[in-house]
Amino acid sequence: MNGPLADEPVGDLELVHTFTGPMPTGVSVSHTGRVFVNFPKWGDEVPATVVELRDGREVPFPDQAWNQPARDDDAGAFVSVQSIVVDPADRLWVLDTGSPMFRPTKPGGPKLVRVDLDTNSVAQVITFPTDVALPSTYLNDVRFDLRRGDAGIAYITDSSDSGPNGIVVVDLASGASWRRLHDHPSTKAEPLSTYRPIVEGRPFLERPADGAPKPLSMGSDGIAISADGSRLHYCPLASRRWYSVATDALADRDLTEDLVAATVTDEGDKGGGSDGLETDDAGRFYLTSYENNAVLRRRPDGEYETVVHDPRLLWPDTMSVATDGHLYVTANQLHRQPKYQRGQDLRRKPYALFRTHIDAGPVLLR
């Protein structure tokens, strides 16, 4: 006699690496197949906040010295890294929040650091003025268009859970930076009245050991640039909706905020909350779905499809489309951290890095 049916996985998910130390967030793969991962300082012991995976080992990158900051405002070392991204010229950019344990930032801590992969050495450090990286700012993820200006433009999400959200724009030649969509409604977490997340079948809230539960307050988080570079897509962590804005407007420092905001498009309901966004050179958008243990994809014709759905995808966080034709994704059980579980740590190691074949490559705007 057959038993009851169970939820079935969709797609093929290949295990790349397991993590038995701190929980990872970001992953990026170079054009030659090198894999980099980062670990923010959220409470775990973090021996190195950026590593390269080499022969199954997690090797501090570019070296141990860059992973040993003297203090939170150390401009010459990584303080607490949330994201690493290989750009279209095959250089690794490290996005340092400067905010271990979500502490207020200090000048020199939040920064964007370029590591040249041919020499494995730091080649550029861009820090942010206090009117761009606010004390409450949490720099979350970054995308690049190297065709703009003398050396390209970077776009960064500020996902702060305690202050204004928005997009930070960086001129890579001069290091100048500015805020756009500052506290715009599209960058904000939604209230429970319009978005009540469910993860592993349970309502997902901040649940301190003492005190009443409260809704998620993290804003603009996931970010992806369209294949032609004309639109930047982004989504608050606490929302099923996502949005896009014209990159021409973001990059033009002479435009008023109202004119930038006028180019914002509501891209609609994407079927679940997303942590990470990504794009491929076939014009498709990828969306992690932490409510559904899945990665979804929006095709150029507007239709959505499931790339992978698997019970092992416990909080799919960050994705990277690689030149080897695979989509890489971290799964880190973020929702099982103590702050969401009445002070109890319900994470069970190891955390995981997976990949799945997608028959496409990364967007290379250069």
Side-chain angles (χ1 to χ4, degrees), residues 286-321:
Y286 297 79
L287 313 95
T288 64
S289 186
Y290 60 74
E291 293 185 270
N292 299 294
N293 303 344
V295 174
L296 306 179
R297 179 167 60 200
R298 192 182 78 178
R299 304 192 314 233
D301 64 6
E303 286 295 312
Y304 287 76
E305 57 192 3
T306 300
V307 180
V308 285
H309 161 60
D310 194 291
R312 296 173 294 170
L313 271 180
L314 288 169
W315 198 280
D317 192 314
T318 300
M319 296 174 290
S320 176
V321 172

Side-chain angles (χ1 to χ4, degrees), residues 23 40-44 82 99-103 138 140 159-162 203-219 221 237 315 332-347:
M23 60 184 288
K41 296 177 182 176
W42 289 346
D44 292 336
Q82 177 67 25
S99 178
M101 299 299 293
F102 299 97
R103 291 196 289 265
Y138 194 84
N140 195 293
S159 66
S160 174
D161 65 357
S162 61
F204 180 48
L205 300 166
E206 288 192 24
R207 299 179 187 273
D210 300 307
K214 60 180 183 178
L216 304 183
S217 53
M218 285 164 280
D221 185 324
L237 185 73
W315 198 280
N332 60 17
Q333 304 172 47
L334 180 149
H335 60 292
R336 293 180 173 183
Q337 291 179 97
K339 71 181 294 184
Y340 307 113
Q341 303 294 340
R342 297 190 174 90
Q344 297 183 67
D345 189 353
L346 300 184
R347 298 172 299 170

Side-chain angles (χ1 to χ4, degrees), residues 214-238:
K214 60 180 183 178
L216 304 183
S217 53
M218 285 164 280
S220 48
D221 185 324
I223 185 172
I225 195 164
S226 62
D228 64 2
S230 67
R231 307 286 297 178
L232 188 76
H233 286 64
Y234 58 95
C235 62
L237 185 73

Side-chain angles (χ1 to χ4, degrees), residues 18-323:
T18 56
F19 303 90
T20 57
M23 60 184 288
T25 53
V27 59
S28 198
V29 183
S30 80
H31 301 173
T32 59
R34 298 170 67 180
V35 180
F36 302 92
V37 177
N38 71 268
F39 311 89
K41 296 177 182 176
W42 289 346
D44 292 336
E45 181 181 348
V46 179
T49 191
V50 179
V51 303
E52 180 179 1
L53 301 184
R54 298 179 190 165
D55 301 319
R57 297 180 300 121
E58 298 161 22
V59 180
F61 190 82
D63 53 38
Q64 188 59 52
W66 264 95
N67 283 277
Q68 291 181 306
R71 54 197 178 275
D72 287 3
D73 61 353
D74 191 342
F78 304 142
V79 177
S80 178
V81 173
Q82 177 67 25
S83 181
I84 74 275
V85 175
V86 172
D87 76 5
D90 205 25
R91 305 171 300 185
L92 183 74
W93 291 87
V94 177
L95 185 61
D96 191 349
T97 66
S99 178
M101 299 299 293
F102 299 97
R103 291 196 289 265
T105 66
K106 300 175 181 178
K111 54 189 172 289
L112 185 61
V113 178
R114 190 183 95 218
V115 184
D116 286 351
L117 296 181
D118 52 352
T119 61
N120 293 334
S121 60
V122 171
Q124 187 177 7
V125 177
I126 298 173
T127 57
F128 300 95
T130 54
D131 62 343
V132 174
L134 314 173
S136 62
T137 287
Y138 194 84
L139 301 177
N140 195 293
D141 207 350
V142 60
R143 294 294 181 266
F144 298 90
D145 185 344
L146 301 185
R147 305 170 306 171
R148 291 183 178 270
D150 293 334
I153 290 281
Y155 307 98
I156 302 171
T157 46
D158 179 352
S159 66
S160 174
D161 65 357
S162 61
N165 301 113
I167 306 292
V168 173
V169 186
V170 186
D171 181 285
L172 298 178
S174 65
S177 58
W178 54 97
R179 293 183 69 90
R180 283 307 199 184
L181 300 180
H182 178 76
D183 229 22
H184 187 268
S186 67
T187 69
K188 306 299 293 180
E190 289 191 47
L192 289 178
S193 58
T194 58
Y195 176 60
R196 187 176 295 272
I198 305 293
V199 184
E200 282 197 275
R202 302 173 181 87
F204 180 48
L205 300 166
E206 288 192 24
R207 299 179 187 273
D210 300 307
K214 60 180 183 178
L216 304 183
S217 53
M218 285 164 280
S220 48
D221 185 324
I223 185 172
I225 195 164
S226 62
D228 64 2
S230 67
R231 307 286 297 178
L232 188 76
H233 286 64
Y234 58 95
C235 62
L237 185 73
S239 177
R240 290 192 184 100
R241 307 195 77 79
W242 60 323
Y243 304 87
S244 70
V245 61
T247 50
D248 282 346
L250 294 176
D252 187 347
R253 297 194 71 174
D254 295 329
L255 281 191
T256 66
E257 272 291 277
D258 286 346
L259 289 175
V260 177
T263 72
V264 170
T265 297
D266 184 339
E267 297 287 343
D269 188 319
K270 51 188 168 53
S274 297
D275 197 327
L277 301 179
E278 186 56 293
T279 38
D280 67 23
D281 58 8
R284 302 176 296 186
F285 285 88
Y286 297 79
L287 313 95
T288 64
S289 186
Y290 60 74
E291 293 185 270
N292 299 294
N293 303 344
V295 174
L296 306 179
R297 179 167 60 200
R298 192 182 78 178
R299 304 192 314 233
D301 64 6
E303 286 295 312
Y304 287 76
E305 57 192 3
T306 300
V307 180
V308 285
H309 161 60
D310 194 291
R312 296 173 294 170
L313 271 180
L314 288 169
W315 198 280
D317 192 314
T318 300
M319 296 174 290
S320 176
V321 172
T323 56

